[in-house]
Amino acid sequence: MTVLVTGGAGYIGSHMVLALTDRGETVVVLDNLVTGFDWLVSPSAELVRGDIADGDLVAGLIERHGIDAIVHFAGSIVVPESVADPLGYYRNNTSKTRDLIESAVKGGVKNFIFSSTAATYGVTGAEPVTEDRPLLPISPYGRSKLMSEMMLEDAAFAHDFSYAALRYFNVAGADPGGRSGQSTRGATHLIKVAVEAALGKREGVEIFGTDYPTSDGTAIRDYIHVTDLAAAHLKALDHLRGGGKSIVANVGYGRGLSVREVLDTVREVSAVAFPVRESPRRAGDPPSIVADSSKARAELGWTPQLDDLPTIVEHALAWERHLMRRNA
Ligand code: UDP
């Protein structure tokens, strides 16, 4: 049994590779290395550079390695970029996922785990969102992922194939052992941007929108440690391998934090009062989104271990320092 991890040289994918290899699984990573880095891939896994939509390549990997599960992370992840380049997002996230699902079905791979997103919900209000809420994404990113969920549902109905679509909330932090972390240059995600500012890699942080209908006017998100997210994928893999039914589940902590609260925590943990500037809202951003993760806890047996913002920030800072030494 070998697990194929697409996008395994990226941020979340590389943590999943660590989680798998730490428990002794055999792992093949397929990554085009456009946004990923070969040095993020655990030396215990085999890295293949290529495209997930290359049917011959994927068929060969499935056959040669006896792949029994695909964990699919490869894709584009920046909401405002998707607003500017929707067709690029539909190509990378939707069409290529279609091709990968087809390769899985043709190759007899019965277990498929998909990186979905809270962005499939759109505007929800402050209360935790359950999986049965209407799916009304407000960005091409959210739509591109929702279409992939729909394809999986239809493929699982038609073929001998099961899937888990995990809807991630805001993923942050880094491997507690310092083996991987968010390494993208020109990153846009809040905690990454803030730790860069704390370490003097940027001038400061802009708050996008201070007029949201929230407690302090800034947007609310549910920030989850990347290692807890990887652990949820292991649980989903065990669920599917054990004959469990296809499942769509939120993965977040169920705790909403405002942009200001996050920035205050990064200032406290880093002990650096980097400048913060108020700016207009950013396109495609909902005011508030928080997970109800009771389904993942009950049906997958997932229990978060690192549900603490200062810990998430500490690990993100440690990784950022590592990157600075590495690139020095
Ligand atoms: N945000 C911000 N300044 C930044 C980056 C993000 O104010 O430099 C806000 C963003 O507008 C959103 C929240 O932080 O309300 C989380 O954004 P992020 O890009 O981290 O994740 P998203 O929720 O878009 O997936």
Side-chain angles (χ1 to χ4, degrees), residues 81-267:
E81 186 180 69
S82 79
V83 176
D85 179 23
L87 298 178
Y89 270 65
Y90 292 126
R91 182 187 56 236
N92 263 354
N93 290 357
T94 313
S95 323
K96 290 192 180 201
T97 295
R98 193 217 73 90
D99 296 344
L100 182 69
I101 297 169
E102 186 173 61
S103 295
V105 169
K106 281 188 178 161
V109 178
K110 299 201 186 326
N111 307 304
F112 195 103
I113 300 177
F114 174 60
S115 292
S116 191
T117 169
T120 53
Y121 295 111
V123 177
T124 63
E127 68 285 0
V129 60
T130 48
E131 292 82 358
D132 54 5
R133 281 284 284 274
L135 298 167
L136 300 165
I138 60 168
S139 66
Y141 170 66
R143 290 168 192 253
S144 71
K145 290 281 186 172
L146 176 55
M147 284 190 263
S148 299
E149 280 196 16
M150 290 169 162
M151 290 189 289
L152 284 167
E153 187 181 352
D154 293 340
F157 182 78
H159 305 287
D160 178 18
F161 165 89
S162 302
Y163 73 97
L166 301 182
R167 294 189 182 142
Y168 310 162
F169 284 65
N170 286 65
V171 188
D175 175 49
R179 298 171 296 173
S180 188
Q182 169 65 276
S183 308
T184 322
R185 288 187 204 92
T188 59
H189 288 111
L190 181 64
I191 291 180
K192 170 79 175 173
V193 166
V195 300
E196 286 181 355
L199 297 181
K201 288 172 90 175
R202 37 175 108 213
E203 298 259 299
V205 180
E206 276 180 88
I207 300 182
F208 298 131
T210 51
D211 59 347
Y212 284 109
T214 60
S215 49
D216 65 15
T218 67
I220 306 272
R221 296 287 184 277
D222 183 347
Y223 295 89
I224 168 179
H225 196 295
V226 64
T227 299
D228 273 338
L229 180 65
H233 289 72
L234 288 185
K235 293 288 188 184
L237 178 61
D238 294 343
H239 168 84
L240 295 179
R241 278 179 172 164
K245 280 204 295 252
S246 292
I247 181 169
V248 177
N250 290 334
V251 191
Y253 291 146
R255 179 170 34 82
L257 296 165
S258 73
V259 172
R260 282 195 211 279
E261 285 172 318
V262 169
L263 295 179
D264 287 347
T265 303
V266 178
R267 283 171 149 191

